[in-house]
């Protein structure tokens, strides 16, 4: 029995009742959540009830700045040393007093309240038509949301036109003859659309460099005999025969002219994408200005100030700027309270757990169907949760009472002005730039010596208060280490996948299909062999060969007649006769192909996936087949697990980088996730199948010998498109499809979660969180978009089918994401523009991957050099390759893949690749100077900000701050006070400390 003298009667709120008395203080964790919610008209992070807006960090008549909570927390006033209560910790709603009549009964959560809460925090769910909403219609939900959907729409429609431009390349490739025809129409369509199917250009070719690039290459086609002047150790100049024709519908075109023409047509494709990639940053900047001009937020009145003295107080800054600049609305000083805020996060979790455990105990105690033993167990769990909560309280109390932690010092300050004019005047008085900072007038210096740096403040929700005390050097050190750790994780995944793939390759037994079917007597469609005598001959000869006695006499008694045709496969009459004739003519001694045919028959079954039907007969091959299946399954599992764990792992690791803003944190997550997925989707596949002799040699004698760098693809040969290209296309179909399946799964999870939470949740907070919706993670979404973009652009010169597939994927995702945002997800935080602009600037670099692979893949088809382009850049390119050759190994040979770097220059200057090379040169120059000019402009903006500063604020005609609030014009948060952010409040509450008696 519990300590309260027995079981309690049922709650005054009946099990099925959802009355108003359920709105208990306990259900809301001791306070109303309404003050922290985001309202419909706000679209920001915090919108407070209008009846109390005057108390949330605002006092329009004087300098006082109360918290609006009955003066229990005082935000600072002149005459006080510090406005924060740091000697006590108070949260009267946390601990449950069993002697209080109002809290002695279980208060079930109310679904209606959860629905109201969901409407408050997710105003976007009220959009009438989710699929028809325009990106600019979402500006009340934050500029980051507008930028994301604008970028998504831009990609979708850009790739729609790019897909149209890829149709000629797909049709031309399908008319080629470079690859064998496939029985499967899907495989035939994919492989036929690749550049590998283009086929030989000339009737014959001879001369040029061989495989090791030191002797004449073997002849291709029906080349005339090589003259005696062809020494094997010296390359002869390349020459070719007549050009082959390519039939395109009813037209016939010479293949060399067609390939050269396609290279110019592909430049139209690249030019369109490059135009989009270089224009999108400007489009985004223009959109930011338009949205900002039509939206009034606290950032339009606020600045962030650095270079402050360590002991500065908000009251002192308030007086200083009120005198020097104009009417100050509010001042918030950020201090080095990272440890305190971290403990506050832990306490919030402990507090929620305590509330849930107490609610479970109360509910069980009042339910007559719950046994006394379980009630006692629930009571013990609640007591444990209380002890965990008190441990957090003790640690926080120690920090607040200066019994631990570093000495308090100011990091920066956020100053909000009443008038927009005073806000703009701050930038004129405290001009940016190194010279303006050095020669700051003494009367503008704080305390006559601190020069101060002033910038526009970021959105309040974008600030990571717990990270502000980490300086640039500390954050850079952490970012480097986290990046290295991410590389180690990807390296381990690479080794694991390579190991299992090599295990599958070692378990497989290659065989010559044509030789098998030419010399063996079994059916192939399906694979059958029903003549028992023939089966025995093949099997016994195989066993004799394995035992070292291939000449063994295997004379056998005739088998009984075969069973009737009913119930077994019918064989073609000619095959039956062929098998019977072979058996009749067998002399009892194993022939040259008898053991060989046994292996062929079993391996044919393995290829057809039907070997288990002959598991007893093909027993020696079952183990190898099983190992193949296991290895392939393990490789697939590793890839799936890596993709599943990659997102949460990177999000977890990036938190240790200690970014000052959520946008910076999201940018880091996006870049790492994009690079990891690009490596896992494309680079890993290419590296595993590529040939790297130098790396392979370096691993000899190590534990990983024979596992890594065992591929044999030295170039974009036709076989590459069969083995690697096809797998890459399938991967690019599966990746977007799996992402959309995850979206559908999240939708059902949200619906099902609400269903079960409405029946199983025991606190109002627990129910509210479920009704809020799923997370709409912009960083993860951007990372996935960039991965698909870069993989498609990089490999589309050889696999043009990727472009229409990506176009379809982007169109579908654009609709899915709008629906998910407007119906399923909760509102993302109000980020700054860092993430959206950073992604827009990355797009242009996809051009480099496209051109490099276009040169590599097209130059496999040898052609004469382009005379004009060779004359323009040939000398420079050959000089660069000669300089490259002088580098130490393995750089000189590119890890053993190239023995003569000059051959790279020759391939890059062919008629079918020269235009790509010239374009590569132009784009590299553009990107280089774009980066250089950006750097120079940043430096000049520091020196001469009046001439080179591009982000200077302009007046927008905003009303005064108090009128913007009163007229509901101010969107988002209304203060920079850390106290008004729910996730940080535990760090600034006071607690009435009591002796722990081990009870609730």
């Amino acid at each position: 029995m519990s300590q309260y003298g027995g079981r309690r009667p049922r709650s005054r709120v009946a099990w099925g009742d959802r009355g108003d008395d359920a709105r208990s203080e306990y259900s809301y964790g001791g306070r109303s959540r309404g003050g922290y919610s985001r309202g419909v008209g706000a679209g920001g992070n915090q919108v407070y009830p209008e009846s109390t807006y005057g108390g949330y960090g605002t006092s329009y008549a004087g300098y006082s700045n109360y918290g609006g909570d009955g003066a229990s927390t005082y935000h600072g006033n002149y005459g006080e040393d510090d406005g924060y209560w740091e000697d006590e910790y108070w949260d009267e709603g946390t601990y449950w007093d069993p002697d209080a009549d109002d809290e002695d009964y279980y208060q079930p959560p109310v679904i209606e309240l959860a629905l109201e809460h969901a409407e408050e925090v997710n105003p976007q769910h009220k959009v009438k038509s989710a699929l028809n909403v325009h990106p600019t219609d979402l500006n009340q939900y934050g500029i980051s949301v507008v930028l994301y959907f604008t970028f998504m729409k831009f990609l979708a429609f850009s790739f729609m036109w790019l897909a149209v431009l890829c149709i000629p390349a797909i049709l031309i490739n399908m008319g080629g003859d470079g690859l064998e025809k496939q029985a499967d129409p899907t495989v035939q369509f994919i492989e036929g659309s690749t550049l590998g199917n283009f086929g030989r250009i000339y009737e014959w070719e001879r001369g040029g460099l061989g495989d090791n690039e030191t002797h004449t290459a073997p002849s291709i086609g029906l080349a005339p005999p090589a003259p005696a002047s062809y020494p094997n150790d010296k390359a002869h100049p390349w020459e070719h025969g007549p050009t082959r024709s390519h039939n395109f519908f009813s037209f016939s075109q010479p293949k060399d002219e067609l390939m050269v023409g396609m290279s110019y047509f592909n430049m139209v494709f690249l030019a369109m994408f490059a135009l989009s990639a270089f224009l999108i940053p400007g489009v985004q900047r223009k959109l930011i200005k338009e949205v900002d001009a039509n939206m009034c937020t606290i950032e339009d009145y606020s600045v962030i100030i650095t270079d402050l003295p360590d002991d500065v107080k908000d009251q002192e800054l308030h007086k200083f700027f009120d005198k020097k600049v104009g009417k100050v609305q509010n001042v918030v000083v950020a201090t080095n309270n990272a440890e305190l805020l971290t403990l506050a996060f832990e306490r919030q979790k402990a507090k929620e757990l305590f509330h849930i455990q107490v609610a479970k105990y109360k509910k069980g105690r009042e339910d007559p169907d719950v046994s006394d033993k379980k009630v006692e167990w629930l009571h013990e769990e609640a007591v444990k949760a209380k002890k965990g909560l008190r441990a957090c309280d003790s640690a926080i109390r120690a920090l607040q009472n200066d019994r631990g932690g570093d000495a308090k010092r100011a990091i920066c300050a956020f100053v909000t002005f009443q008038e927009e004019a005073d806000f703009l005047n701050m930038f004129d008085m405290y001009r940016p730039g190194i010279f303006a900072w050095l020669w700051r007038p003494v009367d503008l210096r704080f305390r006559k010596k601190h020069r101060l740096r002033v910038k526009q403040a970021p959105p309040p929700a974008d600030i990571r208060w717990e990270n502000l005390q980490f300086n640039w050097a500390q954050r850079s050190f952490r970012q480097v280490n986290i990046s290295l750790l991410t590389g180690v994780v990807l390296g381990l995944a690479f080794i694991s996948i390579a190991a299992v793939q090599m295990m599958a390759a070692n378990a497989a037994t290659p065989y010559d299909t044509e030789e098998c079917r030419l010399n063996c007597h079994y059916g192939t469609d399906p694979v059958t062999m029903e003549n028992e005598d023939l089966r025995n001959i093949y099997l016994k000869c195989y066993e004799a060969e394995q035992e070292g006695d291939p000449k063994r006499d295997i004379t056998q008694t005739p088998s009984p007649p075969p069973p009737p045709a009913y119930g077994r496969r019918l064989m073609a009459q000619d095959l039956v006769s062929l098998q019977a004739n072979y058996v009749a003519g067998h002399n009892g001694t194993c022939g040259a192909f008898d053991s060989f045919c046994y292996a062929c028959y079993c391996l044919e079954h393995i290829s057809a996936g039907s070997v288990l039907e002959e598991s007893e007969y093909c027993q020696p091959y079952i183990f190898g087949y099983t190992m193949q299946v296991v290895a392939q399954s393990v490789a697939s599992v590793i890839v799936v697990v890596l993709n599943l764990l990659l997102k949460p792992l990177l999000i977890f690791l990036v938190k240790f980088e200690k970014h000052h803003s959520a946008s910076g944190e999201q940018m880091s997550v996006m870049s790492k996730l994009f690079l990891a997925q690009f490596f896992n989707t494309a680079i890993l596949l290419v590296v595993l199948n590529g040939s790297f002799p130098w790396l392979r040699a370096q691993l000899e004698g190590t534990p990983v010998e024979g596992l890594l760098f065992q591929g044999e693809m030295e170039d974009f040969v036709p076989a590459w498109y069969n083995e690697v290209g096809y797998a890459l296309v399938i991967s690019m179909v599966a990746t977007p499809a799996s992402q959309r399946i995850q979206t559908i799964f999240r939708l059902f999870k949200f619906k099902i979660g609400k269903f079960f939470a409405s029946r199983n949740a025991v606190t109002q907070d627990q129910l509210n969180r479920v009704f809020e919706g799923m997370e709409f993670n912009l960083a993860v979404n951007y990372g996935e978009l960039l991965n698909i973009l870069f993989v498609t652009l990089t490999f589309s010169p050889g696999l043009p089918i990727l472009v229409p597939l990506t176009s379809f994927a982007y169109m579908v995702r654009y609709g899915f994401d709008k629906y998910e945002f407007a119906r399923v997800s909760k509102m993302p935080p109000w980020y700054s523009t860092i993430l959206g602009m950073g992604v827009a600037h990355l797009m242009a670099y996809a051009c480099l991957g496209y051109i490099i692979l276009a040169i590599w893949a097209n130059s496999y088809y040898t052609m004469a050099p382009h005379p004009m382009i060779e004359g323009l850049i040939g000398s420079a390119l050959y000089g660069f390759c000669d300089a490259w050759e002088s580098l130490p190994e393995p750089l000189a040979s590119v890890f053993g893949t190239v023995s003569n770097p000059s051959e790279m220059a020759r391939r890059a200057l062919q008629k079918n690749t020269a235009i790509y090379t010239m374009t590569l040169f132009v784009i590299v120059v553009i990107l280089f100077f774009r980066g250089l000019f950006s750097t120079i402009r940043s430096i000049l903006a520091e020196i001469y900000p009046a001439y080179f500063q591009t982000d200077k604020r302009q007046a927008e005609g905003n009303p005064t701050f108090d009128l913007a609030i009163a007229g509901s014009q101010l969107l988002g948060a209304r203060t920079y006070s850390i106290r008004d952010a729910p996730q940080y409040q535990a760090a600034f509450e006071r607690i009435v400390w009591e002796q722990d008696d081990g009870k609730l």
Side-chain angles (χ1 to χ4, degrees), residues 390-705:
R390 289 181 63 86
C392 293
D393 289 338
S394 178
I396 293 175
R397 186 177 174 85
L399 284 176
Q400 291 179 330
N401 291 340
D402 291 329
R403 293 198 297 266
D406 299 328
K408 180 181 176 182
R409 58 184 178 84
I411 304 297
C412 62
F414 299 91
V415 180
T416 304
F417 291 90
Q418 265 279 351
E419 301 283 347
E420 182 188 35
D422 295 332
F423 160 74
L424 296 174
N425 192 32
M426 275 289 288
F427 299 108
D428 293 331
M429 298 175 64
Y430 291 88
R431 291 181 294 115
I434 185 65
F435 291 132
W437 180 82
L438 286 173
W439 283 286
R440 189 85 72 203
V442 176
D443 63 321
L444 293 180
R445 299 180 186 181
F446 188 70
R447 297 179 183 174
K448 303 297 184 181
K449 61 179 180 179
H450 297 280
R451 292 179 172 86
L452 307 183
R453 288 183 179 273
V454 177
K455 294 182 179 180
Q456 184 177 6
D462 198 38
I463 303 170
R464 289 284 188 257
W465 294 88
E466 67 274 20
N467 298 338
L468 293 179
Q469 70 185 63
F470 295 92
N471 58 36
W472 178 85
Q474 292 171 321
R475 288 182 283 117
S476 298
F477 177 78
R478 287 170 172 267
Q479 290 168 18
V480 169
N481 283 278
I482 295 299
S483 298
L484 291 175
L485 183 58
T486 303
V488 170
V489 172
L490 294 177
L492 292 175
F494 169 67
I495 294 174
S496 302
I497 296 173
V500 295
Q501 288 196 352
M502 188 53 57
M503 183 173 65
N506 292 338
T509 304
Y511 69 100
D512 190 334
T513 306
E514 294 183 3
E515 192 72 14
C516 284
R517 297 182 179 181
L518 179 64
N519 296 283
C520 303
H521 309 290
Y522 54 79
T524 58
D525 190 20
V527 182
T528 55
M529 185 167 56
E530 299 191 4
N531 189 303
E532 290 297 328
D533 293 329
L534 183 61
R535 292 168 66 92
N536 289 335
I537 290 173
Y538 286 168
L539 176 59
K540 290 183 177 181
C541 289
Y542 173 81
E543 292 173 346
E545 184 177 275
Q546 295 298 309
E547 295 171 4
D549 186 15
K551 302 297 184 181
R552 180 186 302 171
D553 184 4
I554 61 165
T555 303
Q556 55 187 1
T557 57
S559 302
Y566 177 77
R568 67 182 184 90
R569 292 190 184 94
L570 290 175
M571 300 173 60
Q573 188 61 39
D574 56 347
L575 181 58
V576 173
S577 302
L578 184 65
Q579 292 179 352
N581 292 336
Y582 183 81
V583 172
H586 200 272
N587 60 5
T589 303
C590 292
F593 293 100
D594 289 338
S595 175
F596 171 75
C597 287
Y598 171 80
C600 289
Y601 177 70
C602 293
L603 291 172
E604 287 261 21
H605 266 297
I606 290 176
S607 298
S610 56
V611 70
L612 295 180
E613 298 176 5
E614 291 278 15
S615 58
E616 183 176 352
Y617 182 72
C618 294
Q619 184 61 38
Y621 287 88
I622 292 297
F623 176 77
Y625 172 75
T626 304
M627 291 302 295
Q628 279 184 267
V629 174
V630 170
Q632 292 168 357
S633 301
V634 171
S636 301
V637 169
I638 291 176
V639 173
V640 171
V641 171
L642 178 64
N643 287 331
L644 290 176
L645 297 181
L646 206 55
K647 296 177 188 178
L649 177 62
L650 290 177
I651 292 172
F652 173 77
L653 290 177
V654 166
K655 292 185 182 298
F656 291 95
E657 295 182 346
K658 301 301 180 183
H659 292 271
H660 284 185
S661 67
S663 296
E665 187 177 283
Q666 292 292 296
M667 186 68 185
S668 181
V669 170
M670 183 279 298
S671 58
K672 288 180 173 61
L673 183 62
F674 155 59
L675 291 174
Q677 290 183 334
F678 183 71
F679 173 84
N680 191 37
T681 304
I683 304 302
L684 183 64
L685 195 62
V686 173
V687 171
L688 284 175
N689 291 276
S691 176
F692 300 91
W694 186 89
L695 293 173
R696 185 186 308 169
Q698 299 305 307
L699 297 178
E700 292 179 359
T702 66
V704 294
E705 180 183 2

Side-chain angles (χ1 to χ4, degrees), residues 177-357:
D177 56 359
L179 299 174
E180 293 184 2
K181 302 296 183 182
Q182 301 292 330
D184 189 319
T186 302
V187 177
Q188 173 59 33
F189 176 76
I190 294 175
E191 293 186 355
S193 66
T194 68
L195 186 61
N197 194 48
F198 189 80
R200 297 202 323 268
I201 297 179
Y202 303 106
E203 294 292 344
W204 58 265
E205 300 174 50
R206 67 180 181 182
L209 295 176
D211 294 337
N212 60 11
E213 300 183 352
T214 60
H215 64 268
T216 298
S219 298
I220 300 176
L222 301 176
S229 60
Y230 273 32
N232 196 39
D233 59 348
K234 184 178 180 181
H236 187 277
W238 174 80
E239 57 183 356
H240 63 85
T243 302
R244 303 178 70 211
S245 295
H246 188 98
N247 296 319
F248 186 68
F249 292 105
S250 59
F251 300 96
S252 181
Q253 181 77 16
K255 279 196 169 185
D256 56 352
E257 296 179 5
L258 184 62
M259 178 164 275
V260 173
M262 282 305 302
S263 68
Y264 286 95
F265 187 80
N266 287 341
M267 284 298 97
V268 178
F269 171 92
L270 181 63
M272 182 173 178
F273 175 79
L275 182 65
S276 302
F278 283 104
L279 286 180
I280 184 63
V283 173
Q284 297 279 55
R285 279 191 292 268
K286 182 179 178 181
L287 181 63
I288 291 170
K289 290 182 179 179
E290 292 177 356
V291 172
D292 187 55
N294 296 318
M295 186 169 59
C296 181
T297 64
I298 192 173
E299 304 98 86
D300 295 324
Y301 301 88
S302 305
V303 296
I304 179 173
I305 301 174
T306 54
D307 289 349
L308 293 166
D310 291 346
D311 60 344
V312 68
K313 304 294 182 183
D314 52 0
Q315 302 94 333
E316 187 179 5
L317 284 172
H318 197 296
K319 284 183 177 180
F320 179 80
F321 288 113
D322 199 75
K323 179 180 179 180
K324 296 291 183 182
V325 183
K327 186 68 174 179
V328 174
Q329 173 67 27
N330 192 16
V331 176
V332 176
V333 176
T335 59
N336 57 328
N337 51 11
E339 189 175 2
L340 180 63
L341 297 178
T342 302
L343 286 173
F345 293 144
E346 296 298 323
R347 185 186 187 276
Q348 188 64 26
K349 297 177 183 177
K351 179 180 176 180
E352 293 174 359
L353 177 62
F354 174 67
H355 284 175
I356 291 173
Q357 294 298 341

